[in-house]
């Protein structure tokens, strides 16, 4: 990290922390995105977007399909 400018190092560190946090929440809640979101005090859609950004997925269905 020391070879990076401060802002880049900060962003890389934050991304690593966010990813580990999200992985731990999903594991604790057995991949249930809605429960992980509630436990994290986040809206489910925001959590889903973060998971997508980091290439993470819940263990259940990821979409409801046509209704």
């Amino acid at each position: 990290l020391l070879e990076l400018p401060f802002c880049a190092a900060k962003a890389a560190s934050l991304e690593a922390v966010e990813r580990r946090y999200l992985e731990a929440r999903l594991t604790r809640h057995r991949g249930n995105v809605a429960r992980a979101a509630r436990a994290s005090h986040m809206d489910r859609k925001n959590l889903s977007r973060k998971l997508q950004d980091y290439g993470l997925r819940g263990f259940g269905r990821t979409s409801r399909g046509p209704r």
Side-chain angles (χ1 to χ4, degrees):
L1 287 176
L2 294 178
E3 64 276 354
L4 297 174
F6 175 76
C7 289
K10 181 180 174 184
S13 296
L14 178 59
E15 287 178 10
V17 169
E18 282 185 347
R19 183 182 183 89
R20 284 195 309 263
Y21 179 87
L22 296 173
E23 288 172 336
R25 280 292 184 193
L26 279 179
T27 299
R28 175 173 283 182
H29 295 284
R30 299 179 187 163
N32 186 309
V33 175
R35 288 182 184 163
R38 275 195 300 275
S40 301
H41 301 275
M42 293 178 71
D43 182 77
R44 184 188 54 77
K45 288 183 182 181
N46 290 339
L47 178 58
S48 293
R49 194 172 306 117
K50 281 281 189 195
L51 294 175
Q52 186 176 14
D53 290 347
Y54 289 112
L56 302 172
R57 302 177 78 178
F59 304 143
R61 295 187 303 169
T62 56
S63 68
R64 294 179 184 223
R67 288 189 169 201

